[in-house]
Amino acid sequence: DQQVKQNSPSLSVQEGRISILNCDYTNSMFDYFLWYKKYPAEGPTFLISISSIKDKNEDGRFTVFLNKSAKHLSLHIVPSQPGDSAVYFCAAHNQGGKLIFGQGTELSVKP
Amino acid sequence: SQTIHQWPATLVQPVGSPLSLECTVEGTSNPNLYWYRQAAGRGLQLLFYSVGIGQISSEVPQNLSASRPQDRQFILSSKKLLLSDSGFYLCASSWGANTEAFFGQGTRLTVV
């Protein structure tokens, strides 16, 4: 049972354009959502998060949007840079401490 | 922030041998601790999580077990490794439910 889903395994974007990464979840008990960036053979690094009481959180080039009714969140990167190329994971937390990750989306930003 | 120490970085073990991976955390007390596995080309699968000493929640029935003998120590074990246990194992720590988790650098386990 995949409770957090990233249906696009890969995304290719031109440098300077917007990257939009999507994530869906099924469990309404999740109340905190996070995005991580990961390079091969390394641990993921935290990017940005959002609480379920908000619908948007912005940090520099990164913005996360949450649509609770649709159980959907997205990460926008504007403008995209070649150094953003990596695998991006969304994750969801519940009050019991469980932290579930999606399958990841590999972003490639081309110069 | 927290610092997560994981070792070893790489490990090659024969089928049927035991396993013990250790994770220790600096910079916090009473953290939530997690073990994840990333199989080749796949996502991060939650294996175990712990909200306190001696409290372990298992997410996937499998050949592995976890223990938390001390507040900031989390151990992943197996009595007999299977080929399917190969993967990239990651330990993570967070201050609580609605905070970000910090990850260690991972252990690449190859079972041969």
Side-chain angles (χ1 to χ4, degrees):
Chain A
D1 176 26
Q2 190 69 34
Q3 298 183 55
V4 179
K5 301 178 183 179
Q6 294 175 257
N7 293 318
S8 298
S10 62
L11 175 68
S12 183
V13 172
Q14 207 68 31
E15 181 179 7
R17 298 290 187 100
I18 184 172
S19 295
I20 300 177
L21 298 110
N22 293 302
C23 179
D24 298 294
Y25 61 96
T26 58
N27 190 337
S28 58
M29 297 303 292
F30 290 139
D31 55 7
Y32 192 74
F33 304 90
L34 311 95
W35 283 94
Y36 283 81
K37 180 179 180 181
K38 186 182 182 301
Y39 296 110
E42 294 183 6
T45 53
F46 170 73
L47 278 176
I48 191 169
S49 61
I50 187 166
S51 165
S52 60
I53 62 173
K54 296 185 176 180
D55 55 18
K56 176 182 175 181
N57 189 27
E58 191 172 352
D59 184 2
R61 296 186 297 115
F62 302 92
T63 303
V64 56
F65 296 91
L66 175 63
N67 181 335
K68 280 196 301 182
S69 60
K71 294 190 175 68
H72 177 84
L73 63 155
S74 61
L75 175 68
H76 293 209
I77 306 174
V78 181
S80 301
Q81 300 172 354
D84 294 330
S85 297
V87 178
Y88 289 78
F89 289 95
C90 70
H93 232 154
N94 68 9
Q95 284 294 327
K98 185 185 292 189
L99 179 60
I100 301 290
F101 282 76
Q103 306 96 309
T105 297
E106 184 171 9
L107 173 65
S108 175
V109 180
K110 301 189 181 304
Chain B
S1 66
Q2 304 173 31
T3 303
I4 317 301
H5 299 282
Q6 252 190 275
W7 64 92
T10 59
L11 191 59
V12 180
Q13 291 285 101
V15 169
S17 64
L19 172 73
S20 181
L21 299 181
E22 187 167 344
C23 170
T24 59
V25 181
E26 290 180 5
T28 185
S29 60
N30 196 29
N32 288 357
L33 298 175
Y34 305 85
W35 277 111
Y36 291 89
R37 177 172 61 201
Q38 185 180 26
R42 305 287 294 275
L44 295 174
Q45 180 187 34
L46 177 62
L47 302 176
F48 301 95
Y49 69 99
S50 171
V51 298
I53 295 174
Q55 300 178 58
I56 309 292
S57 297
S58 174
E59 282 299 294
V60 182
Q62 59 207 335
N63 186 40
L64 302 169
S65 62
S67 61
R68 185 171 177 174
Q70 299 181 47
D71 182 41
R72 290 173 289 174
Q73 184 186 28
F74 206 22
I75 298 173
L76 183 69
S77 304
S78 174
K79 291 182 180 178
K80 288 185 179 181
L81 284 169
L82 306 172
L83 287 174
S84 57
D85 292 324
S86 294
F88 190 53
Y89 288 81
L90 287 156
C91 177
S93 171
S94 72
W95 279 295
N98 290 349
T99 62
E100 64 265 33
F102 298 89
F103 281 82
Q105 287 302 297
T107 295
R108 170 73 58 193
L109 171 66
T110 303
V111 182
V112 296

